[in-house]
Amino acid sequence: MNIILIGPPGAGKGTQAKRLVTGRGMVQLSTGDMLREAKDSGTVMGSRVAGIMARGELVTDEIVIGLISEKLDSLDGAGAIFDGFPRTLAQADALERLMADRGTPIDHVIEMRVDDEALVGRITGRFSCANCGEVYHDKTRPTRVDGVCDACGSTDFLRRSDDTEDALRTRLMAYYKQTSPLLGYYYAKDRLAVLDGMGAVDDVSGAIAHVLDA
Ligand code: ADP
Ligand code: AMP
């Protein structure tokens, strides 16, 4: 099964994707993670996108479609969770073509709805494990032992440089202008499921399971 998680920054896509990886053996394909990796390892492409990402704007379709198509080759039969991709209609069309060529269509597109005010709190309190990428929050999901990752025991944590109120404003605008038209696109294809992303993490996981197991 292949699914897309779609929602504004801070909706909980990464958190839920990680649960699906652990619980169902699916593979998380996050273009944000891929771009941050390219940036951190100092590739030419990474340095080209650094400023765009810091401002919260979208990088070009060509770059992210290239990244995704490379990763699809390494899926090895596992189901994919697209997290943060597609974000434009051109990306959605490219993904349709890539998946049709492989004979593995997208089964469900899950929209996670969260109020804008809640997103500010989620984004400004987010941090993650530098070793395994587990996602935490200062208030809603602190580590069980202060300063130690629940998942892998690492004591190194990261805060994203674009998790500021300023960059979030630009990221939200990009979401509403460029990404939200995809909701109509997938609705028309009868693949869209909408769920309330405001509930507790376990409740959101339950709602996703309900869609996947229907
Ligand atoms: P996204 O990948 O959509 O940008 P994340 O999964 O990184 O979002 O979540 C953003 C922040 O909100 C993180 O700090 C995460 O711990 C927290 N979070 C995720 N889901 C929930 C939830 N259902 N309730 C409260 N906080 C949440
Ligand atoms: P994310 O980790 O999904 O919040 O993405 C972080 C940043 O990476 C975004 O603000 C964009 O600058 C860039 N990015 C990630 N995915 C895409 C995409 N599919 N299309 C364009 N830009 C993207």
Side-chain angles (χ1 to χ4, degrees):
M1 181 176 290
N2 301 294
I3 67 167
I4 296 171
L5 297 180
I6 188 163
K13 304 180 293 294
T15 299
Q16 296 299 333
K18 291 209 160 41
R19 289 186 156 212
L20 292 167
V21 168
T22 315
R24 295 183 185 242
M26 297 175 80
V27 174
Q28 178 187 12
L29 297 179
S30 156
T31 40
D33 285 349
M34 294 171 204
L35 291 164
R36 278 184 289 280
E37 252 174 61
K39 200 161 58 93
D40 294 345
S41 55
T43 64
V44 175
M45 184 269 279
S47 49
R48 266 177 57 202
V49 298
I52 300 171
M53 291 175 73
R55 287 194 296 278
E57 294 162 7
L58 295 189
V59 311
T60 65
D61 291 332
E62 193 191 353
I63 289 177
V64 287
I65 292 166
L67 286 170
I68 281 287
S69 99
E70 264 173 42
K71 291 280 172 176
L72 286 180
D73 293 334
S74 58
L75 272 183
D76 212 19
I81 310 154
F82 294 94
D83 161 10
F85 180 92
R87 263 169 148 107
T88 64
L89 287 167
Q91 292 175 25
D93 274 337
L95 183 61
E96 288 289 295
R97 279 194 300 274
L98 285 169
M99 298 306 268
D101 288 349
R102 297 164 46 86
T104 55
I106 300 291
D107 299 287
H108 298 286
V109 178
I110 300 178
E111 180 197 0
M112 302 171 64
R113 282 206 182 152
V114 174
D115 299 347
D116 288 357
E117 309 86 81
L119 295 174
V120 178
R122 285 196 186 182
I123 288 290
T124 52
R126 167 161 68 182
F127 62 101
S128 61
C129 173
N131 179 49
C132 72
E134 188 68 15
V135 184
Y136 295 96
H137 189 277
D138 293 325
K139 294 195 181 116
T140 61
R141 198 185 171 233
T143 53
R144 278 196 289 272
V145 177
D146 198 25
V148 182
C149 175
D150 297 358
C152 76
S154 166
T155 53
D156 281 342
F157 294 91
L158 294 171
R159 281 183 197 266
R160 282 171 48 173
S161 54
D162 59 344
D163 275 353
T164 59
E165 283 198 42
D166 261 2
L168 178 61
R169 256 192 296 279
T170 309
R171 287 157 71 196
L172 266 181
M173 191 56 81
Y175 178 76
Y176 290 119
K177 270 172 78 172
Q178 291 164 279
T179 307
S180 67
L182 269 61
L183 300 171
Y185 176 96
Y186 289 117
Y187 172 79
K189 291 179 184 284
D190 204 20
R191 270 184 267 161
L192 184 69
V194 181
L195 58 84
D196 180 10
M198 292 289 290
V201 174
D202 283 346
D203 295 340
V204 178
S205 301
I208 291 175
H210 188 74
V211 173
L212 302 192
D213 298 333

